[in-house]
Every structure is written in structure tokens, then in C-alpha cells.
Amino acid sequence: MSKNAYIIFSKIPEAGFVKTRMQPDLTPEDSSRIQSRMLTHIIDLSESLEDLADVFLVYQAHDERIKNEFLSKVPADIQTFPQVGEILGNKMSTAIKTVQRMGYDKVVLTGSDIPGLTADVVRSAFDGLTDHDVTLGPTFDGGYYLFGTNDHDSDEFLDADISWSTNSVLETTITLFKQAHKSCFLTDALLDVDFKRDLKQLDNKTVQELL
């Protein structure tokens, strides 16, 4: 078993359940298809990390049949379990603690709506944990797409008074790190896709792949 764990944190693609902020500019079906293709991209790139980390898909699902159908197509070497908790930060913290209890030291978690994410970025996050307490991957809208921890309790940074899905998430989290005297490594800033307008910031090839 590796001492590193990489968590893909995502909803299971389902029309009307994912990427609802893209509507009504896009149909629920189109929004779900975009989410599915972004998640598939992350799953595919994780296969190239097998020398570095064990991979987990920690999911939130709505429809049991759709969930089972999607999970049946996930590669067998990716372990899966459902998200637990009420708010986003609590869900992420619980996921991290779950794999830490399995014996993993370095844990990196990313979302699934980051079409620009590469295996090199994930590797850099693990490298950053060699001499930093935590890692963050900033998004251009003031949030973050990646959270990594080096065998530390993440509750105080995730299960905290944070206004999730706002442009203050990154700044607030970095402030919490400073107050706790934790050193932080920042990976490359990337675009997360929440609205149809975000697609305009991607290159044509990527947009065509998502649509």
C-alpha cells in the first residue's frame, strides 16, 4: 500500500443533480454530460498516478441506478465510498479522515470540474507536502480545486465557518492556515467550470471535448 492517497471528490453525473448553475443556459442533460466528461478526465489522469498514490473516488449520488451504472465503469484499482456530512467542508474533512484512518500519510483531494488539471499538478501537490503542512490549488474565482494535508487534522480548515462557493474561500482558508502556523504550498491556479460562461475561457479543443 502506498503512503499517499489521492481523492477525487465528485457528484455522480445525473441530469438535474449536477452543474445546476449552468441552467437555464444549458439543459440539465447537457450540464450532466459536461460534468461526466470532466469527471472522466480526472479518473483517466489518475491512472498515471499509480506509482505515486492510491486513488479514491468519494462520491455524492442521487439516483441509485445511475450511481451503480456509473461506478460499474470506474477502474477496479480506484476505491470508492460515498460522501458523508452536511456542508461541503465537512464532507471533504470526513473523506480525508476516512483515508487517513486507513494508514495514509499524505492526502490530496481535488474536485472534478477542473478540465485543466493534469497529473503533473497533482504530483506537485504531493511534492509540496514534503516540506509544507498543507497544499492548496487556487481557482481564478477565489476558491480552490485542491486541498492536501501532511498527516494533520484538517477539521479546523475545512469544517469551519467558511462561505463556500464564494470568492472568499481561498483567502479565508489561507488566513486559517496562518493563524494555526501551518505552512502552505500553492499549486498552479486553474479554472473550475461552474457556469456556461466559464467555457469561454477554455481553448476550443477542450470545449469541443466537453460538449
Side-chain angles (χ1 to χ4, degrees):
M1 183 184 86
S2 173
K3 285 295 184 180
N4 301 333
Y6 171 45
I7 297 174
I8 304 168
F9 194 82
S10 179
K11 290 182 177 180
I12 299 293
E14 178 186 344
F17 178 61
V18 299
K19 292 299 162 196
T20 55
R21 286 183 287 179
M22 287 188 164
Q23 302 154 36
D25 298 311
L26 294 173
T27 67
E29 291 74 21
D30 287 341
S31 302
S32 177
R33 183 169 58 254
I34 289 172
Q35 166 66 12
S36 179
R37 290 175 177 172
M38 289 192 293
L39 176 53
T40 298
H41 161 70
I42 304 298
I43 290 173
D44 288 346
L45 77 82
S46 75
E47 292 288 278
S48 66
L49 299 171
E50 58 183 13
D51 63 312
L52 175 66
D54 292 340
V55 181
F56 296 82
L57 172 62
V58 183
Y59 62 86
Q60 181 182 355
H62 178 252
D63 181 272
E64 188 75 8
R65 181 189 60 80
I66 293 175
K67 178 201 76 174
N68 291 337
E69 181 179 352
F70 185 89
L71 293 181
S72 70
K73 300 175 184 177
V74 173
D77 56 344
I78 296 180
Q79 303 176 62
T80 65
F81 61 88
Q83 298 175 17
V84 177
E86 295 299 323
I87 63 172
L88 178 60
N90 177 249
K91 292 177 181 179
M92 291 193 293
S93 177
T94 301
I96 290 171
K97 285 189 291 186
T98 297
V99 299
Q100 286 176 328
R101 285 195 292 266
M102 296 177 186
Y104 294 96
D105 294 332
K106 296 179 180 179
V107 181
V108 169
L109 176 152
T110 71
S112 61
D113 54 356
I114 316 293
L117 185 65
T118 64
D120 285 343
V121 171
V122 178
R123 288 181 182 276
S124 73
F126 279 107
D127 289 343
L129 289 173
T130 300
D131 48 16
H132 295 80
D133 297 311
V134 289
T135 59
L136 283 179
T139 55
F140 295 125
D141 61 2
Y144 60 81
Y145 64 88
L146 180 152
F147 184 98
T149 181
N150 192 359
D151 198 23
H152 292 287
D153 187 349
S154 57
D155 276 1
E156 61 183 309
F157 312 121
L158 293 173
D159 196 7
D161 185 17
I162 295 176
S163 299
W164 296 102
S165 299
T166 68
N167 60 9
S168 65
V169 172
L170 180 68
E171 181 181 359
T172 301
T173 304
I174 291 176
T175 297
L176 291 173
F177 290 157
K178 291 179 179 179
Q179 291 173 346
H181 305 288
K182 301 295 185 184
S183 58
C184 177
F185 174 81
L186 295 179
T187 64
D188 294 341
L190 295 174
L191 173 74
D192 63 337
V193 176
D194 292 318
F195 302 93
K196 182 185 178 183
R197 63 175 180 267
D198 295 329
L199 297 174
K200 296 179 181 179
Q201 301 182 56
L202 300 171
D203 61 82
N204 290 335
K205 180 176 181 294
T206 301
V207 172
Q208 290 174 0
E209 291 172 348
L210 292 178
L211 295 176

